[in-house]
Amino acid sequence: METRKLALSRACVCCTNIIFLISGFILMSLGALLLADNERILLSRLLGPSDVQPDQPLFYYLAFAISAFGFFIAITGLFGCWAACLFNQCITISEKKVIIRKKWNMDENNGITYVVTITLLLLSECTIFIVAIFWPYLLGIDVRPARLIRALQRSYAVPGREQFTAALDLAQTTFSCCGINGSNNYGTSWWRLQEVGRRELVVPLSCCTLNNANETDSFLNPEPANLTLCQALNPAEHQYARHTTVGIHNEDGCLEMIERWTQEQALILLAIGLSIIFVEVSVLLSTFFACSKNSKRKKSQTSTFTSTQTLSPFSENDHDFGLGIENRMHMSGTTFGAKS
């Protein structure tokens, strides 16, 4: 019965480590998919923490981080599978006490290293979640209206900020909105004041209702349905030719849509992270369960061996000494018979 429970704990450890290994490969695949999602990566350019923008959008670095984290998890899971197999071998390969003891020590060291690694992974993930919830700006996530408006007014259509311009155009065509909290944000922007764009434009073409809205690259080459009405200053004229999606705060800007999109991405990442944490906790619990079974088995074996020694007070030397006396008595009897 005890052996059956021990085998069950071994099987549980092996299964959880295999699942952990698979989760690492899944994370690497998700990182590769995120890296291939150009629109998602481009939209993350709007989530920058400050006016000083990095070379690439936030999700570009996140894709590599997810892939690297998945690779580390896969290596850890592979190590766990190897340690579990080594644990099985230390029971079944040899019956010699010295070899078994050496393999037990090796297995215990591997188990401790593995448990410490999983624990560090859990702590790091929990730390990242806490920072992301309470201090998201430390991770480069900032969707405050003041920062976004300032970024629009200083960076839109400015030479050297082409990526931010494309990201905002993508947001305006995807979410059918204009500006951050309204089209009036462009009135005081460098794009408008310094006439970076065409002089007759009041708002960018991506703010207009487009004929090619269904095309994936419409934000790069927008084709307004009615350019004249879209650029009209009278709201009664441009309301049908310009994106005027009104949010719950009675604003036709993209702020609410950007915040909602950010929350959706955060929920996706949270679901993935919680799934990984669940797998890691399962691995830890199965490892602790197997270790407890092993310790009980070792104690029972030690107590059995001790009780056997107690019930057998004579050692091998005493046994040999007794055999020697018996042989000498037999030889003496034989000699005595010969003399008679």
Side-chain angles (χ1 to χ4, degrees):
M1 186 65 181
E2 189 69 24
T3 305
R4 186 176 181 180
K5 290 182 179 179
L6 188 61
L8 180 62
S9 64
R10 294 178 203 160
C12 186
V13 171
C14 290
C15 291
T16 53
N17 278 282
I18 291 174
I19 295 174
F20 191 47
L21 176 64
I22 294 174
S23 66
F25 287 113
I26 292 176
L27 272 184
M28 287 191 288
S29 302
L30 291 177
L33 289 176
L34 178 59
L35 191 62
D37 194 344
N38 296 325
E39 291 188 359
R40 195 184 301 268
I41 289 180
L42 184 59
L43 277 176
S44 67
R45 169 60 81 182
L46 301 176
L47 308 180
S50 63
D51 296 333
V52 180
Q53 298 180 358
D55 295 334
Q56 297 295 335
L58 175 64
F59 280 11
Y60 179 82
Y61 300 106
L62 181 62
F64 283 102
I66 291 176
S67 299
F69 189 67
F71 178 76
F72 184 73
I73 286 180
I75 293 297
T76 307
L78 188 63
F79 174 73
C81 293
W82 173 77
C85 293
L86 183 64
F87 168 73
N88 291 335
Q89 290 177 356
C90 73
I91 300 296
T92 59
I93 283 183
S94 177
E95 295 181 355
K96 294 182 179 180
K97 296 179 181 179
V98 177
I99 297 179
I100 289 178
R101 188 177 295 111
K102 289 182 179 179
K103 288 183 175 292
W104 269 113
N105 293 332
M106 187 184 302
D107 181 67
E108 288 177 354
N109 294 332
N110 292 331
I112 292 173
T113 304
Y114 185 60
V115 169
V116 170
T117 304
I118 299 296
T119 305
L120 291 177
L121 281 175
L122 277 173
L123 291 177
S124 62
E125 290 169 3
C126 293
T127 302
I128 292 174
F129 284 151
I130 292 174
V131 172
I133 292 173
F134 294 101
W135 304 282
Y137 60 90
L138 295 177
L139 300 178
I141 303 173
D142 189 359
V143 291
R144 290 177 297 178
R147 189 203 66 82
L148 289 174
I149 293 174
R150 185 170 62 251
L152 180 149
Q153 294 176 343
R154 295 181 180 181
S155 301
Y156 185 81
V158 174
R161 300 297 178 90
E162 289 81 6
Q163 203 173 59
F164 177 84
T165 303
L168 191 55
D169 285 335
L170 176 60
Q172 291 177 154
T173 55
T174 302
F175 303 139
S176 298
C177 55
C178 186
I180 300 302
N181 54 12
S183 57
N184 57 348
N185 295 146
Y186 290 101
T188 55
S189 65
W190 288 1
W191 170 78
R192 178 69 175 158
L193 296 177
Q194 297 183 1
E195 297 182 352
V196 177
R198 292 156 54 180
R199 180 175 299 181
E200 69 274 10
L201 295 182
V202 178
V203 293
L205 297 180
S206 57
C207 285
C208 303
T209 303
L210 304 179
N211 290 326
N212 60 339
N214 295 327
E215 298 179 4
T216 56
D217 58 345
S218 60
F219 67 99
L220 297 176
N221 186 26
E223 299 176 1
N226 193 325
L227 180 60
T228 303
L229 290 179
C230 177
Q231 302 300 324
L233 296 177
N234 189 355
E237 296 180 2
H238 70 239
Q239 63 178 345
Y240 298 108
R242 189 186 299 178
H243 297 316
T244 55
T245 302
V246 180
I248 59 176
H249 301 294
N250 295 324
E251 297 175 350
D252 59 351
C254 300
L255 178 62
E256 183 180 342
M257 300 297 179
I258 294 174
E259 290 177 344
R260 187 180 304 172
W261 179 83
T262 305
Q263 292 173 358
E264 291 175 356
Q265 310 311 308
L267 288 177
I268 293 174
L269 294 176
L270 181 62
I272 295 174
L274 290 178
S275 301
I276 297 298
I277 289 177
F278 176 77
V279 174
E280 291 172 353
V281 171
S282 301
V283 171
L284 279 179
L285 291 178
S286 63
T287 304
F288 288 146
F289 178 71
C291 289
S292 63
K293 292 296 181 182
N294 294 340
S295 60
K296 290 180 180 179
R297 187 173 185 272
K298 290 173 66 177
K299 289 180 181 179
S300 63
Q301 288 179 347
T302 304
S303 61
T304 303
F305 180 73
T306 305
S307 60
T308 304
Q309 283 186 331
T310 304
L311 293 175
S312 302
F314 297 103
S315 62
E316 293 181 356
N317 294 330
D318 296 336
H319 181 67
D320 294 339
F321 180 73
L323 289 177
I325 293 176
E326 184 179 354
N327 291 334
R328 285 195 295 270
M329 291 178 64
H330 179 71
M331 292 176 62
S332 299
T334 304
T335 306
F336 180 76
K339 289 181 178 181
S340 300

